[in-house]
C-alpha cells in the first residue's frame, strides 16, 4: 500500500532503482531504453559521473543559502556560463526550480516591466494553440492545449491563442514553406490589431513545439517575421525553450537556428539533466535595467531560487555538453535517428509525418495518409503505443490530441545525447513493434 499520490491512480508504475547511460532499470532488473529522456530531461543519460561528483562536492561545501540573504558561487557561475552563450541581448538569469516556474517568472516580469516603463495598459499575452508552457496557473493560461486547460477554465487568466505554425497540417498545397511561415506569423499581427496593440505585452511560443504537438519545428522565416511584428508594436518576445533548449535541437539555444533572439527566454529540463530540478528565465539587459532603474525589485520569488546544489548541477551539465562536444553529437545522431525513422516509417500506411530537429523528433500517426485523417480518439493509439513500448523496454513519449487537444496522435522522441548507433537501431525496432501492437488493438 503506497501513500504516494501517483499520476494515475489506476495503474501503478514499477519502481525505478537504477540508471546506466541510456537505460533505466526497475526493481525486477528489467532495462528500458530511455528514448525520451523522461520528458526530454535526461540529455546526458543516467549515472553521469561528472555531474554526480559536482553535485556531491557542492553538498559538501554548501547545500543551500536563501537568495534573500546571499548569492552563491555556483549560481553566479551558471549565470555567467549561460549568458556567455545566450543569443542577442540576454544578460540576466533568474534561477528557478523547473519549467513552469520559469514561465511564471517570465509572464510576471513582462508585466512588471511594462508597469515600470509607464505602459500599465499592456497586460495581454498572446500565445499559440497546441503549445504547452507548464501546469501552474499562469503557464497553463498561456498554454493552448484544450484538453489540459478544459476543467481549469474558470481559474485561468484570459489570453489570446493564435494558430500554431504547423506545416504538416496547416500549410496549403499552393504555398511554399516560406509563404506559409509568413502567413502563420502574420496571424500574430492580426491578433495584435484585433485586441489593440497598446494592450499587448508579450507573445509567448516554443521554438520547436514539444509535448503537445510532437517536435513541430517552425516553417522557414516564421520567427524572423514574429520578431519583426513584436518590434513593430513594442511587444516582448518570450521563447519557451524548456523542452527544446539546452542542446536538444543541435544548438545550445533552439532559437539560434531561427536567427532570432527573444527578450525573455525560459529553459529547464536539460539544464539539470535530471540530476537536480532546475530552470531559468533569462532576460534582456533592457528589461533588467528598467527594473534596476525603477523599483529595483522584481516582485516575485521562491524559496529555492538560485539553489546552489541545483546550480552546481547546471554548471556541470552545460560544461559537459560543451566540453565533450555533445551538441555536435546531437546533430550527427539526430540525423541518424531521422534517417532510421524515415527508413522504417517513411512509407508506413499510418505514419503521416516524421519531423523535428536534432535529437528532438516526432512521428505523427494517421488513419489515412492521403487525407491525413487522424484515428478516432476512442482508439487511444498514443496510450497503446506507450504501453506496448514500455512492455518491450522502450520509454518514449506518445500523446494524443496532437491537432486540437482531442484529435491526433504522435510519439515524441528525445533520447540522451550519448545515444549510440546500435541504440538508435534498438529504439526504432522497439518503436516499430509498439506501433504495430497498438494498431492491432
Ligand atoms: N514549457 C515547456 C515547453 C514544457 O515542455 C514544459 C514541460 O513539459 C514546461 C514548460 C513545464 O515545465 P515543468 O514540468 O518543469 O514545470
Amino acid at each position: 500500500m503506497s501513500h504516494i499520490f501517483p499520476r494515475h491512480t489506476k495503474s501503478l508504475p514499477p519502481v525505478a532503482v537504477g540508471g546506466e547511460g541510456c537505460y533505466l532499470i526497475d526493481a525486477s532488473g528489467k532495462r528500458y531504453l530511455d528514448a525520451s529522456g523522461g520528458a526530454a530531461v535526461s540529455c546526458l543519460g543516467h549515472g553521469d559521473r561528472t555531474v554526480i561528483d559536482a553535485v556531491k562536492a557542492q553538498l559538501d561545501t554548501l547545500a543551500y543559502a536563501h537568495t534573500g540573504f546571499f548569492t552563491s558561487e555556483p549560481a553566479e557561475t551558471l549565470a555567467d556560463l549561460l549568458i556567455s552563450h545566450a543569443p542577442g541581448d540576454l544578460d540576466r538569469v533568474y534561477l528557478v526550480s523547473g519549467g513552469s516556474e520559469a514561465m511564471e517568472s517570465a509572464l510576471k516580469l513582462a508585466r512588471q516591466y511594462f508597469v515600470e516603463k509607464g505602459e500599465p495598459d499592456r497586460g495581454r499575452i498572446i500565445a499559440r494553440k497546441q503549445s504547452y508552457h507548464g501546469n501552474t496557473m499562469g503557464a497553463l493560461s498561456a498554454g493552448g492545449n484544450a484538453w489540459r486547460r478544459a476543467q481549469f477554465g474558470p481559474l485561468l487568466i484570459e489570453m489570446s491563442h493564435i494558430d500554431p505554425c504547423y506545416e504538416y497540417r496547416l500549410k496549403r498545397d499552393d504555398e511554399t514553406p516560406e509563404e506559409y511561415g509568413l502567413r502563420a506569423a502574420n496571424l500574430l499581427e492580426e491578433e495584435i490589431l484585433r485586441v489593440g496593440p497598446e494592450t499587448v505585452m508579450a507573445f509567448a511560443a516554443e521554438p520547436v513545439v514539444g509535448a503537445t504537438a510532437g517536435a513541430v519545428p517552425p516553417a522557414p522565416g516564421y520567427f524572423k517575421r514574429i520578431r519583426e511584428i513584436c518590434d513593430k508594436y513594442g511587444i516582448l518576445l518570450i521563447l519557451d525553450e524548456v523542452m527544446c533548449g539546452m542542446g536538444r535541437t543541435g544548438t545550445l539555444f533552439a532559437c539560434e537556428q531561427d536567427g532570432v533572439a527573444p527578450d525573455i527566454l525560459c529553459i529547464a529540463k536539460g539544464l539539470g539533466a535530471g540530476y537536480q530540478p532546475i530552470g531559468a528565465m533569462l532576460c534582456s539587459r533592457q528589461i533588467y535595467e528598467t527594473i534596476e532603474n525603477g523599483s529595483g525589485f522584481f516582485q516575485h520569488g521562491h524559496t529555492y531560487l538560485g539553489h546552489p546544489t541545483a546550480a552546481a548541477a547546471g554548471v556541470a551539465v552545460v560544461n559537459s555538453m560543451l566540453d565533450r562536444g555533445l551538441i555536435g553529437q546531437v546533430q550527427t545522431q539526430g540525423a541518424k535517428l531521422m534517417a532510421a525513422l524515415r527508413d522504417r516509417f517513411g512509407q508506413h500506411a499510418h505514419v503521416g509525418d516524421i519531423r523535428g530537429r536534432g535529437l528532438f523528433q516526432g512521428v505523427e500517426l494517421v488513419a489515412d495518409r492521403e487525407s491525413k485523417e487522424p484515428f478516432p480518439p476512442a482508439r487511444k493509439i498514443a496510450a497503446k503505443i506507450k504501453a506496448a513500448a514500455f512492455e518491450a523496454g522502450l520509454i518514449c513519449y506518445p500523446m494524443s490530441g496532437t491537432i486540437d487537444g482531442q484529435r491526433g496522435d504522435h510519439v515524441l522522441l528525445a533520447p540522451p545525447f550519448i545515444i549510440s548507433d546500435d541504440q538508435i537501431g534498438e529504439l526504432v525496432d522497439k518503436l516499430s513493434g509498439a506501433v504495430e501492437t497498438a494498431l492491432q488493438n
Side-chain angles (χ1 to χ4, degrees), residues 71-121:
T71 184
S72 70
E73 267 181 48
E76 295 291 337
T77 307
L78 181 55
D80 289 348
L81 184 57
L82 290 171
I83 292 303
S84 70
H85 294 279
D89 191 30
L90 296 175
D91 192 50
R92 293 281 170 162
V93 180
Y94 193 80
L95 292 171
V96 292
S97 302
S100 302
E101 278 188 15
M103 277 305 290
E104 292 291 333
S105 311
L107 301 177
K108 286 180 70 181
L109 181 63
R111 171 65 187 158
Q112 191 175 331
Y113 165 73
F114 282 116
V115 170
E116 301 215 4
K117 205 169 167 255
E119 298 180 51
D121 290 342

Side-chain angles (χ1 to χ4, degrees), residues 98-101 103 132-134 206 211 240 242-243 268-269:
S100 302
E101 278 188 15
M103 277 305 290
Y132 181 61
H133 296 297
E206 295 169 80
D240 178 351
V242 166
M243 209 178 225
K269 296 185 185 271

Side-chain angles (χ1 to χ4, degrees), residues 247-381:
R248 175 54 61 198
T249 61
T251 42
L252 189 61
F253 294 93
C255 62
E256 290 171 42
Q257 293 174 57
D258 300 294
V260 294
D263 303 291
I264 299 181
L265 185 142
C266 295
I267 48 175
K269 296 185 185 271
L271 176 61
Y275 293 88
Q276 286 286 291
I278 183 166
M281 176 200 64
L282 283 60
C283 78
S284 69
R285 184 187 306 262
Q286 197 214 345
I287 295 177
Y288 182 78
E289 284 177 353
T290 301
I291 306 291
E292 187 183 31
N293 299 329
S295 68
F297 171 66
F298 176 29
Q299 196 175 344
H300 192 54
H302 297 286
T303 301
Y304 289 137
L305 285 190
H307 195 288
T309 311
V315 171
V317 168
V318 175
N319 277 334
S320 293
M321 281 182 200
L322 300 173
D323 298 348
R324 291 187 220 157
L326 291 179
I327 298 180
Q329 217 165 300
V330 170
Q331 295 167 7
T332 50
Q333 296 311 88
K336 287 180 193 166
L337 175 60
M338 182 61 81
L341 289 171
R342 293 223 159 110
D343 188 44
R344 187 66 60 96
F345 296 110
Q347 299 306 315
H348 194 290
H350 297 295
V351 172
D353 195 25
I354 303 168
R355 59 196 174 224
R357 276 187 190 168
L359 280 172
F360 196 44
Q361 299 186 14
V363 175
E364 184 166 337
L365 288 304
V366 286
D368 182 84
R369 268 170 76 106
E370 276 305 303
S371 66
K372 303 185 182 175
E373 182 63 25
F375 283 103
R379 286 272 314 260
K380 295 189 184 312
I381 292 291

Side-chain angles (χ1 to χ4, degrees), residues 14 136-137 206 211 237 245-246 307 320 338 366 381 407 411 420:
T136 50
M137 292 304 177
E206 295 169 80
L237 175 60
M246 294 295 98
H307 195 288
S320 293
M338 182 61 81
V366 286
I381 292 291
R407 295 174 312 132
V411 180
S420 69

Side-chain angles (χ1 to χ4, degrees), residues 48-236:
D48 187 285
R49 238 17 283 170
T50 311
V51 185
I52 293 169
D53 289 345
V55 170
K56 285 184 170 171
Q58 186 58 43
L59 284 171
D60 283 337
T61 313
L62 167 75
Y64 170 69
H66 194 279
T67 48
F69 303 97
F70 297 101
T71 184
S72 70
E73 267 181 48
E76 295 291 337
T77 307
L78 181 55
D80 289 348
L81 184 57
L82 290 171
I83 292 303
S84 70
H85 294 279
D89 191 30
L90 296 175
D91 192 50
R92 293 281 170 162
V93 180
Y94 193 80
L95 292 171
V96 292
S97 302
S100 302
E101 278 188 15
M103 277 305 290
E104 292 291 333
S105 311
L107 301 177
K108 286 180 70 181
L109 181 63
R111 171 65 187 158
Q112 191 175 331
Y113 165 73
F114 282 116
V115 170
E116 301 215 4
K117 205 169 167 255
E119 298 180 51
D121 290 342
R122 290 195 189 260
R124 176 177 287 269
I125 298 283
I126 303 177
R128 300 190 297 179
K129 292 176 191 158
Q130 278 314 96
S131 277
Y132 181 61
H133 296 297
N135 263 331
T136 50
M137 292 304 177
L140 189 62
S141 303
N145 181 262
W147 173 74
R148 282 176 164 81
R149 294 167 54 95
Q151 67 172 324
F152 301 107
L155 305 181
L156 300 181
I157 304 158
E158 198 201 322
M159 297 186 185
S160 297
H161 291 93
I162 61 170
D163 278 346
C165 187
Y166 185 6
E167 216 175 306
Y168 171 60
R169 292 207 173 263
L170 300 181
K171 184 180 89 58
R172 291 193 308 249
D173 289 344
D174 64 351
E175 281 175 317
T176 63
E178 287 77 9
E179 284 166 347
Y180 167 62
L182 189 63
R183 178 168 65 87
N186 283 338
L187 295 175
L188 173 60
E189 186 164 36
E190 281 172 30
E191 182 61 11
I192 291 170
L193 294 174
R194 191 186 72 79
V195 297
E198 68 289 349
T199 67
V200 181
M201 61 180 193
F203 175 63
E206 295 169 80
V208 182
V209 186
T212 39
V216 177
Y222 175 80
F223 274 106
K224 281 226 161 101
R225 177 68 187 134
I226 290 283
R227 181 71 265 186
E228 269 174 25
I229 296 169
C230 289
D231 291 344
K232 179 170 171 190
Y233 295 100
I235 288 163
L236 299 179

